[in-house]
Amino acid sequence: MADETSAFVIPLHQVPRKRKDKAGADRATAPRPRKKRKAPAVAAAAAAAAAVAAAEPEIQFPESLIPPEFLAADGAMAEPPAAQPLAVTVRQSEPVAPTQTVAALIGPATPSHHRLAPAILSTAALTLGAVGITINGWFARSLGSSDVAGWLFLAVGVAADLVALVLPSCAAGLWRSRQRSTALVGWTVWLLTFIFAVAASIGFTSTNITDVKLSRASRVTPAIASAQATLSDAMAARDRECKGGVGKFCRERETAVAERRQMLDSAMASVEAAADPQTEAAIKLVSWGSRGLLNPAPEDFAMLRLILLALLPQIGGILLMVGQRSRSRV
């Protein structure tokens, strides 16, 4: 009988079965404790790295083939560095009021009436200057004996009034720029032109006022008409009575004519007094306001009115200087 032999294959080298190092695997896969406070960006990066590590296949090595120092180094590299908080220093400035900021940017507010007043004053000065130029030109031309002389006087009057209008502003500017001698010369020239302009204004005013008064005084009112008719009748009766000689009845008619003439003169005087009602009203007002202490005559008020009407059109240059100075300060 053949010997039954059983063949056994005995491997020459038997590789020991790999054992899973639970301690190493736990050390590799177990989440490491993290700090509670991390920056949002660092925490997101750590979560992404953990997800990638969980998706990759795990390679395990036997404990005998992995040196302990590598494991320690691997743990140190796996732990992300702790985020250091950034120290930001915010410097807070002192609070500034909104009104102070606006005032510093745009400057102090100027009321509208402060800007309007210089403009109105300059407009009034130019208006008075135009009136003064017209007055001086008209009166200067009326003094000429011929047309050529009249036009020459007109040119002199207009030029003098223009100088009186603009010279105060120029002289004041020269004085502020410390050119005192030139400024004094300018003021001297202005004084001469001012006197010339005032003289022309006095002539213009007195001429027109006299013409108006004569025109009003020559009016024939019903009282004057009645007095004139009565006087005419009295004169006719006298002439008839005195034709044969001077006697008793003739003398009576002469007396009647004298009475009628006085009545006519009284009527004409009342009309002449009414020709200038401003003077009469001003005299009554002054007497009433002073309780009778002041009783000016009609000539006093007439002179005051003449001075005012002559001076006012010639102060346009002074007003223009004041208006420009006020506008520069606003």
Side-chain angles (χ1 to χ4, degrees):
M1 260 177 89
D3 295 331
E4 294 181 0
T5 59
S6 57
F8 296 94
V9 179
I10 300 173
L12 297 177
H13 179 70
Q14 187 175 3
V15 179
R17 185 178 297 176
K18 295 180 181 180
R19 293 184 304 174
K20 188 175 181 180
D21 191 0
K22 294 183 179 181
D26 294 341
R27 188 182 301 111
T29 59
R32 299 182 179 276
R34 300 177 183 175
K35 294 184 178 181
K36 294 182 179 180
R37 294 183 180 178
K38 293 184 178 181
V42 177
V52 172
E56 292 180 355
E58 226 179 23
I59 301 176
Q60 298 180 357
F61 296 96
E63 186 177 0
S64 58
L65 298 178
I66 299 176
E69 57 271 12
F70 282 92
L71 295 178
D74 185 17
M77 292 178 62
E79 184 178 1
Q84 298 294 332
L86 298 177
V88 179
T89 303
V90 180
R91 188 174 184 179
Q92 185 178 2
S93 60
E94 297 180 358
V96 180
T99 56
Q100 296 178 358
T101 305
V102 173
L105 292 176
I106 64 175
T110 303
S112 58
H113 64 274
H114 288 173
R115 300 178 181 177
L116 187 61
I120 294 177
L121 189 60
S122 300
T123 304
L126 294 176
T127 303
L128 289 176
V131 173
I133 291 172
T134 306
I135 289 175
N136 292 346
W138 180 89
F139 184 76
R141 189 175 183 276
S142 66
L143 297 178
S145 59
S146 62
D147 291 338
V148 177
W151 286 109
L152 291 176
F153 282 146
L154 172 64
V156 172
V158 171
D161 207 85
L162 285 174
V163 171
L165 178 64
V166 302
L167 199 54
S169 301
C170 299
L174 291 173
W175 186 270
R176 288 194 299 269
S177 61
R178 299 187 181 279
Q179 299 181 14
R180 304 299 170 82
S181 58
T182 309
L184 290 176
V185 172
W187 283 115
T188 304
V189 174
W190 173 82
L191 183 60
L192 295 177
T193 57
F194 180 76
I195 294 174
F196 175 82
V198 169
S201 296
I202 291 175
F204 175 85
T205 305
S206 60
T207 301
N208 284 272
I209 290 177
T210 303
D211 291 344
V212 171
K213 289 181 67 175
L214 290 176
S215 176
R216 291 177 180 177
S218 62
R219 294 178 301 167
V220 178
T221 62
I224 293 177
S226 177
Q228 287 178 350
T230 304
L231 178 61
S232 297
D233 294 340
M235 291 175 67
R238 182 200 61 183
D239 293 340
R240 288 192 304 267
E241 192 66 34
C242 296
K243 185 181 296 185
V246 178
K248 178 181 178 181
F249 294 103
C250 180
R251 293 189 183 91
E252 290 178 355
R253 296 294 183 266
E254 288 286 348
T255 304
V257 169
E259 292 177 354
R260 300 298 186 271
R261 192 178 299 277
Q262 289 179 358
M263 291 176 59
L264 179 60
D265 293 339
S266 178
M268 293 181 64
S270 63
V271 173
E272 185 179 356
D276 192 7
Q278 183 184 15
T279 302
E280 296 295 329
I283 292 174
K284 293 179 181 179
L285 182 61
V286 171
S287 178
W288 176 80
S290 62
R291 301 291 183 177
L293 297 177
L294 297 177
N295 292 311
E299 292 79 10
D300 298 334
F301 182 78
M303 294 301 297
L304 177 63
R305 179 178 58 187
L306 180 63
I307 292 174
L308 293 178
L309 289 176
L311 284 178
L312 284 178
Q314 311 307 326
I315 62 173
I318 302 297
L319 294 180
L320 186 62
M321 178 187 66
V322 175
Q324 291 180 352
R325 186 63 177 173
S326 301
R327 184 179 299 176
S328 63
R329 288 190 175 184
V330 172

